[in-house]
Amino acid sequence: MKKTRSQRGPRGTGGQPSRRPRSPGAGWAARPPHRSPASVDQPMQPLQIEALSHDGRGIGRVDGKACFVRGALPGEQVSWRRESSQRNFDQGSVVEVLVPSPQRQPPGCEYYPRCGGCSLRHLDAGAALAYKQQNFIADIERAGLSVEQWLAPLQGGSDGYRRRARLAVQKTRDGRVELGFRNAASRRIEPLQHCRVLTPLLSALLGELPSLLAAITLGVVEVELTESDGAEPVLLVALSAAPGELLNDSGAARLESAGATIAAALSLSPAQLQLWWRDHGERDFRPLGAASTAHIALSQQLLLACRPGQFLQVNGAVNRAMVEQVLALAGGGELAVDLFAGVGNFSLPLARRYRRVIAVEGLPELVASGAANAAANGIDNIEFHCADLNRPLPKTLLDAPRRERIDLLLIDPPRSGAAAAMDWIGATQAKQILYISCHPATLLRDAGQLLAAGYRWRRAVALDMFPHTAHLEALALFERD
């Protein structure tokens, strides 16, 4: 799931029958809403694919005009179907792979490529990461920027890595409940019984969820799944109600009974499967029944409490490696400031390296959770503050750090970046700035401002948080001369 601090709103429902593609290119075609001119939606002559786009499509050229083809890889020759034609480019999908790339691999998933959860399962994961990093390097160069040193990318397993996922829900005409990710290139849902990128336990849970939702007549638009760490992991199943649907005590009891049955089917104790509910329009989920605190591990010594709805890095292995990389780059010292701190993903580890940590987050409930996490881990040198980081920061927030020099300023913003905070960040004259980015385009924008303020881009690391997708995250280190 791409990183965001806001909740996704309700979406429409729909679906299509599940079927296995008949050939390496089958299943890529998506019927566009309208087709003109006449050449659109007609099979085209074989196309040589030269590159991979930022969103994972192959790029070829016909008479100099760029053609973006879903399902094609660099070095391949494909037959393809044009689905839309613009003045400067065409878009389409693979009909048949005529000459395959040596990097092409069997997807290993019966729902691919219809399911939109993955877009690059047909490409070796290591090769996919290399293409994504190359595209990012090219973007940096086009922006007139440069990185002094690229460190080794951080990558975990390509399957079984997602410890959290949000699934859409729909009811079929005959009353069956289906859950899944959105279809590629459409708003329809691909019904799933299992999922290769989810942890094995969450994948097994997926097939049991229709029976849970069938226990009530209320409409549910989304289900969020989370698996905690530990020898006895806890599964958090959070249901978001459709507009106008209110859960009464009888409905809650039926859900709890169905949840206990599912836990037994998965060889879990009742305490290892928690049910949570959120009324339409509400921000927070509430537990149904008793719910002990579930945790994720940042290291062997540090645990974070996790609950539905709060931001969580979905890839635990890469997140732990990222925290270790941050600590390796951070010089240590007196003061570290963590902006967009969330519940303490970086603040808690940094507290072991700095005498004082100031953590700033925009949501009061996350500030409270961060403080609770620090206390639970026996850490008393973090100060948690609430401030709207999407607006220019108040001068009072600037005054406090100026009393002592900031050794490290860490930024972990959402996709929109840290534009509103950049003037404040530059004025602090922090010795080091570590920027964790989930959207390279906004990183480049903010990096330009840091370089103009006298910083140099010393190190960069590509982060493969979402294998089998075109999404890339990055870690950047800036230091003053």
Side-chain angles (χ1 to χ4, degrees):
M1 156 171 115
K2 311 295 186 294
K3 180 178 175 184
T4 179
R5 300 238 190 275
S6 61
Q7 296 301 311
R8 286 168 18 185
R11 295 175 172 176
T13 60
Q16 67 183 50
S18 175
R19 58 188 182 277
R20 189 182 299 272
R22 294 186 299 275
S23 71
W28 290 106
R31 188 169 297 276
H34 58 271
R35 294 174 295 281
S36 63
S39 61
V40 170
D41 204 28
Q42 298 299 316
M44 305 299 297
Q45 293 296 319
L47 181 67
Q48 187 68 35
I49 303 301
E50 304 168 351
L52 198 69
S53 69
H54 288 79
D55 60 3
R57 293 180 294 175
I59 305 174
R61 294 188 178 275
V62 175
D63 297 329
K65 187 179 184 181
C67 304
F68 295 88
V69 183
R70 292 196 315 279
L73 298 177
E76 292 187 333
Q77 187 179 82
V78 302
S79 65
W80 64 295
R81 188 181 305 279
R82 181 188 284 125
E83 296 167 351
S84 68
S85 183
Q86 309 297 326
R87 180 177 180 180
N88 296 319
F89 63 92
D90 291 342
Q91 300 182 88
S93 58
V94 165
V95 174
E96 183 181 1
V97 178
L98 304 175
V99 180
S101 163
Q103 296 171 332
R104 179 176 285 275
Q105 65 177 14
C109 174
E110 65 185 278
Y111 305 111
Y112 186 80
R114 300 182 310 277
C115 173
C118 297
S119 58
L120 288 173
R121 289 198 68 91
H122 58 294
L123 176 60
D124 172 77
L129 176 56
Y131 281 120
K132 290 188 282 188
Q133 181 169 329
Q134 289 168 11
N135 281 339
F136 185 35
I137 292 172
D139 289 341
I140 293 172
E141 293 173 350
R142 277 192 292 268
L145 307 176
S146 63
V147 178
E148 294 182 8
Q149 182 183 2
W150 280 88
L151 302 181
L154 301 183
Q155 187 177 32
S158 58
D159 278 330
Y161 69 86
R162 287 197 69 152
R163 60 186 178 187
R164 169 169 286 179
R166 293 191 181 102
L167 304 169
V169 181
Q170 66 186 12
K171 278 193 175 181
T172 63
R173 291 181 179 179
D174 60 2
R176 291 182 294 108
V177 179
E178 297 178 331
L179 300 92
F181 295 113
R182 300 287 170 180
N183 286 138
S186 82
R187 301 296 295 167
R188 296 179 177 178
I189 295 172
E190 180 65 29
L192 304 177
Q193 289 295 313
H194 53 84
C195 178
R196 293 288 301 274
V197 298
L198 296 184
T199 65
L201 196 51
L202 287 184
S203 180
L205 171 63
L206 190 56
E208 304 288 342
L209 290 178
S211 64
L212 175 70
L213 297 182
I216 56 174
T217 59
L218 301 180
V220 173
V221 296
E222 186 178 78
V223 176
E224 180 187 275
L225 306 179
T226 307
E227 180 179 336
S228 75
D229 291 326
E232 296 186 350
V234 177
L235 305 185
L236 286 68
V237 181
L239 312 178
S240 294
E245 304 281 30
L246 296 176
L247 183 68
N248 58 25
D249 291 342
S250 175
R254 291 196 299 273
L255 282 174
E256 290 186 71
S257 176
T261 300
I262 292 173
L266 297 176
S267 300
L268 301 175
S269 70
Q272 286 180 269
L273 194 147
Q274 298 180 5
L275 299 180
W276 297 67
W277 181 269
R278 179 172 64 185
D279 293 327
H280 178 72
E282 295 294 319
R283 179 191 296 274
D284 297 327
F285 291 92
R286 67 178 188 272
L288 303 181
S292 59
T293 302
H295 295 90
I296 61 168
L298 295 180
S299 66
Q300 292 183 347
Q301 296 79 30
L302 294 175
L303 297 177
L304 285 183
C306 62
R307 57 181 293 139
Q310 291 186 347
F311 175 74
L312 170 69
Q313 293 285 8
V314 304
N315 193 321
V318 174
N319 184 62
R320 288 188 291 272
M322 179 174 62
V323 170
E324 292 176 2
Q325 183 71 82
V326 164
L327 295 178
L329 292 173
E334 292 294 311
L335 176 61
V337 176
D338 182 7
L339 299 185
F340 305 93
V343 299
N345 190 63
F346 294 107
S347 301
L348 270 62
L350 289 174
R352 304 288 176 89
R353 300 288 301 275
Y354 293 84
R355 185 182 63 84
R356 180 185 175 207
V357 176
I358 297 175
V360 185
E361 169 56 45
L363 297 177
E365 58 268 29
L366 295 187
V367 171
S369 294
N373 280 325
N377 284 275
I379 297 173
D380 60 5
N381 61 328
I382 305 178
E383 305 166 22
F384 284 89
H385 299 275
C386 187
D388 186 352
L389 296 169
N390 294 313
R391 302 178 62 183
L393 295 177
K395 292 182 178 180
T396 53
L397 192 60
L398 179 63
D399 291 341
R402 274 187 169 175
R403 297 192 189 107
E404 51 186 308
R405 182 175 179 181
I406 298 176
D407 293 298
L408 173 69
L409 199 156
L410 186 141
I411 319 166
D412 184 18
R415 286 180 59 86
S416 55
M422 292 310 298
D423 288 340
W424 185 92
I425 291 169
T428 63
Q429 298 185 0
K431 182 179 178 181
Q432 289 184 307
I433 294 177
L434 276 169
Y435 194 125
I436 315 298
S437 172
C438 62
H439 190 38
T442 52
L443 168 59
L444 295 183
R445 179 200 65 202
D446 295 343
Q449 195 162 342
L450 290 176
L451 270 59
Y455 286 90
R456 298 183 65 172
W457 194 338
R458 300 289 194 186
R459 304 287 186 273
V461 184
L463 310 172
D464 199 17
M465 281 286 184
F466 295 87
H468 299 312
T469 77
H471 183 73
L472 181 70
E473 304 197 1
L475 185 158
L477 171 66
F478 301 89
E479 294 179 336
R480 295 185 67 86
D481 289 330

